[in-house]
Amino acid sequence: MELYIGLVHHPVYNKRYETIASAVTIFDLHDIARTAVTYNVKRFLVITPLEDQQQLVGRVLDHWVKGFGAQYNGNRKEALERIDLVPSIEEAVESATGKNGTKPLVVATDARETDFRSISFKELRRILAGSDPVLILFGTAWGLHRQVLEQADFVLEPVKGPVQYNHLSVRSAAAIILDRLIGTDHR
Amino acid sequence: MELYIGLVHHPVYNKRYETIASAVTIFDLHDIARTAVTYNVKRFLVITPLEDQQQLVGRVLDHWVKGFGAQYNGNRKEALERIDLVPSIEEAVESATGKNGTKPLVVATDARETDFRSISFKELRRILAGSDPVLILFGTAWGLHRQVLEQADFVLEPVKGPVQYNHLSVRSAAAIILDRLIGTDHR
């Protein structure tokens, strides 16, 4: 397995389905980094083109990876060390490209059913069992821009419970998706 | 299925394994409430004996269930309406007791393997398929006090990935556990 995950802050939608660059949520960094380490994700790529948001992420990483936080809580250090900051999805793809030049398979996620290139959890588990790099993209705010879904190699089927409601936080969705793909629960 | 979940702020451990009442984290309310609705949990019981923390939770619920937030984001309203505030685990058990007087089966969760009354995801799924109430307890801070584990009917097996690291946030752990118990992913 050679899995990378990316948390996309641009291009995503706001509540009115306008294209925006969203602000970084600090809880996303902590929660998703801890999930990434638990499921042996190679790198957690935080994707934002906004310089002030890059500086914010940089300050959080400095505190927990090098500063007081690193002594205070070694488990947080181990988690946040898994993060790389990149300005765009293109750079994230570059980061996830193997040393031999193998481009990652890019898999977008969405809370809605999509009409193109859908991939099931089962099929993606099969691909992850191989050694080629895979990059899974998660959207912040109201979700990944349609253009990201269209440019991805696949769009993962949505997480569903027994009811219609599908408004999980990206932190919860990322945890569930990585557990479904990599967790050791035997049903 | 008649499932209740409880988020315990007392008795839990701090970093030095002293018994504390932890502060409420607002992200826990939002994330776990959204997960609760997704997986058709009957009520999400926020358990804290601290009056100032009860007031804090009350203000958050007022905003999203009755105030401006309710118009701004109906999905949040629907999620946070699922929350009841209770002062103790005993009161949570009372809340989860069926109209016919059937006490809930109380299942504690822990990141560590336990030596007593462990229950597997598979077995708990089987129990949840029935109609008797079940109350799953999640710990905040450094986890549920040993006394809670000892008094529960069962302790759920820990969530595991492929590596030893097991420091998921309670928000992520609750999402994964409910998906494993109730999600519709067919492996």
Side-chain angles (χ1 to χ4, degrees):
Chain A
M1 187 179 83
E2 184 94 352
L3 176 59
Y4 296 78
I5 59 175
L7 184 67
V8 178
H9 296 83
H10 176 269
V12 293
Y13 293 115
N14 70 6
K15 194 171 158 33
R16 293 181 296 279
Y17 284 95
E18 297 157 346
T19 306
I20 58 158
S22 66
V24 170
T25 300
I26 304 298
F27 273 76
D28 289 354
L29 305 183
H30 284 276
D31 281 16
I32 300 176
R34 291 159 74 182
T35 301
V37 176
T38 302
Y39 292 100
N40 210 15
V41 168
K42 192 145 184 185
R43 302 300 298 166
F44 168 25
L45 306 163
V46 175
I47 304 166
T48 173
L50 300 179
E51 281 185 23
D52 64 332
Q53 297 298 304
Q54 292 172 358
Q55 284 162 13
L56 172 67
V57 175
R59 282 201 303 276
V60 172
L61 297 185
D62 274 352
H63 174 76
W64 288 102
V65 175
K66 297 180 208 155
F68 175 72
Q71 286 109 56
Y72 178 74
N73 190 331
N75 298 324
R76 294 294 177 100
K77 176 176 190 283
E78 186 177 354
L80 293 180
E81 278 176 339
R82 205 61 62 105
I83 293 178
D84 290 322
L85 188 57
V86 294
S88 65
I89 293 176
E90 291 69 31
E91 294 269 352
V93 170
E94 197 60 41
S95 290
T97 297
K99 285 198 190 99
N100 59 2
T102 310
K103 292 267 175 206
L105 187 85
V106 178
V107 180
T109 58
D110 201 72
R112 292 161 290 261
E113 301 275 358
T114 53
D115 43 358
F116 40 83
R117 296 189 306 291
S118 176
I119 189 170
S120 68
F121 285 97
K122 190 170 180 175
E123 178 65 11
L124 186 51
R125 270 196 293 275
R126 201 187 57 73
I127 291 171
L128 283 169
S131 60
D132 284 346
V134 173
L135 170 61
I136 301 179
L137 297 176
F138 297 100
T140 57
W142 267 254
L144 289 173
H145 195 282
R146 189 173 169 91
Q147 148 198 332
V148 178
L149 304 185
E150 287 174 357
Q151 290 176 357
D153 295 303
F154 290 108
V155 179
L156 185 61
E157 63 173 317
V159 168
K160 277 193 207 153
V163 294
Q164 281 303 311
Y165 188 95
N166 66 342
H167 305 283
L168 292 167
S169 75
V170 69
R171 298 168 290 282
S172 302
I176 291 166
I177 287 170
L178 291 179
D179 186 64
R180 286 187 178 196
L181 293 172
I182 304 149
T184 53
D185 179 36
H186 299 297
R187 304 216 167 183
Chain B
M1 187 179 85
E2 184 93 351
L3 176 59
Y4 297 78
I5 60 176
L7 184 67
V8 178
H9 296 83
H10 176 268
V12 292
Y13 293 114
N14 70 6
K15 193 173 160 33
R16 292 181 297 278
Y17 284 93
E18 296 157 346
T19 307
I20 57 159
S22 65
V24 169
T25 301
I26 304 298
F27 273 77
D28 289 355
L29 305 182
H30 284 274
D31 281 16
I32 300 175
R34 292 159 74 181
T35 302
V37 176
T38 302
Y39 291 101
N40 211 14
V41 168
K42 193 147 183 183
R43 302 300 297 166
F44 167 25
L45 306 163
V46 175
I47 304 166
T48 173
L50 300 178
E51 280 186 23
D52 64 332
Q53 298 298 303
Q54 292 172 359
Q55 285 162 13
L56 172 67
V57 175
R59 283 201 301 276
V60 172
L61 297 185
D62 274 351
H63 174 76
W64 289 102
V65 174
K66 297 180 206 155
F68 174 73
Q71 286 110 57
Y72 178 75
N73 189 332
N75 299 324
R76 293 294 176 99
K77 176 176 189 285
E78 187 177 354
L80 293 180
E81 277 175 342
R82 205 59 61 104
I83 292 179
D84 289 323
L85 189 56
V86 293
S88 65
I89 292 175
E90 291 69 31
E91 294 270 351
V93 170
E94 198 59 42
S95 290
T97 298
K99 285 196 191 99
N100 59 2
T102 310
K103 292 268 174 203
L105 187 85
V106 178
V107 180
T109 58
D110 201 73
R112 291 161 290 259
E113 301 274 358
T114 52
D115 43 358
F116 40 84
R117 296 189 306 291
S118 176
I119 190 171
S120 67
F121 285 97
K122 190 170 181 178
E123 177 65 11
L124 187 51
R125 269 196 294 275
R126 202 187 56 73
I127 291 172
L128 284 169
S131 61
D132 284 346
V134 174
L135 170 62
I136 301 179
L137 297 176
F138 297 99
T140 57
W142 267 253
L144 289 173
H145 195 281
R146 189 173 169 91
Q147 148 198 335
V148 178
L149 304 185
E150 286 174 355
Q151 290 175 359
D153 295 304
F154 289 108
V155 180
L156 185 60
E157 64 173 315
V159 168
K160 276 194 209 155
V163 294
Q164 282 301 312
Y165 188 93
N166 67 342
H167 305 282
L168 292 167
S169 75
V170 69
R171 298 168 290 284
S172 302
I176 292 166
I177 287 171
L178 291 179
D179 186 64
R180 286 188 179 195
L181 293 172
I182 305 148
T184 54
D185 178 37
H186 299 297
R187 307 218 163 178

